[in-house]
Amino acid sequence: METLFLVITSIFLGIGMYLIYHDYARTKYGYQTRGRVIQLKGEWGYGGNSTSHLYYPIVRFYSEGKQELQRRLEVGFSIPLFSKGQDLKIIYYNDKAYPAGTMWKLLYWCIFLISLGAAIIQLYYW
């Protein structure tokens, strides 16, 4: 049973590292701006033996060249966290829009640090 928990912890540790690295790359090389949610789009997702329904905000913003763009935020949620008309910080990177801001960075670091702590504890008692 301990091995299973260590494997699960390792997966979350990898996810945390992935999120931190990609957030760093997007922040460094992407264009940071503000956008406005113009619509919430619900999409069904199928993976393995499960089905999920996620809400993705469609955001209108201006690119570096002052061109008006509309993109789906690359992060979806099972409950609508954003509302129509809401302003939010985004990063435009590789023709995609990603959420930006301190709270997102804290979330990524929390995932990583909690997983790291769980892995250390499990290795200590293993």
Side-chain angles (χ1 to χ4, degrees):
M1 192 63 144
E2 294 86 10
T3 305
L4 175 64
F5 288 128
L6 188 58
V7 168
I8 292 170
T9 301
S10 298
I11 290 170
F12 277 101
L13 189 60
I15 290 170
M17 290 186 326
Y18 173 86
L19 291 171
I20 290 169
Y21 171 76
H22 283 277
D23 180 63
Y24 169 77
R26 287 189 300 260
T27 302
K28 184 173 181 180
Y29 300 112
Y31 174 65
Q32 297 185 37
T33 186
R34 294 197 66 83
R36 178 164 293 201
V37 177
I38 58 170
Q39 177 185 1
L40 287 177
K41 184 178 182 183
E43 293 183 9
W44 287 97
Y46 307 98
N49 295 333
S50 66
T51 304
S52 62
H53 188 265
L54 299 176
Y55 293 94
Y56 293 91
I58 308 298
V59 181
R60 179 184 297 146
F61 60 96
Y62 291 94
S63 69
E64 287 178 284
K66 304 300 180 204
Q67 179 183 8
E68 185 177 296
L69 300 172
Q70 293 180 14
R71 294 290 186 272
R72 182 187 87 166
L73 204 62
E74 290 297 311
V75 178
F77 305 94
S78 59
I79 57 172
L81 290 183
F82 300 101
S83 59
K84 189 174 179 180
Q86 181 179 355
D87 288 332
L88 60 132
K89 292 180 185 179
I90 62 167
I91 296 177
Y92 183 58
Y93 178 70
N94 282 345
D95 202 33
K96 295 179 181 175
Y98 298 91
T102 306
M103 294 308 293
W104 289 99
K105 292 182 185 320
L106 285 174
L107 174 66
Y108 302 152
W109 276 99
C110 282
I111 292 170
F112 173 73
L113 292 173
I114 290 170
S115 301
L116 180 63
I120 290 170
I121 290 169
Q122 288 175 359
L123 288 173
Y124 179 78
Y125 287 108
W126 198 16

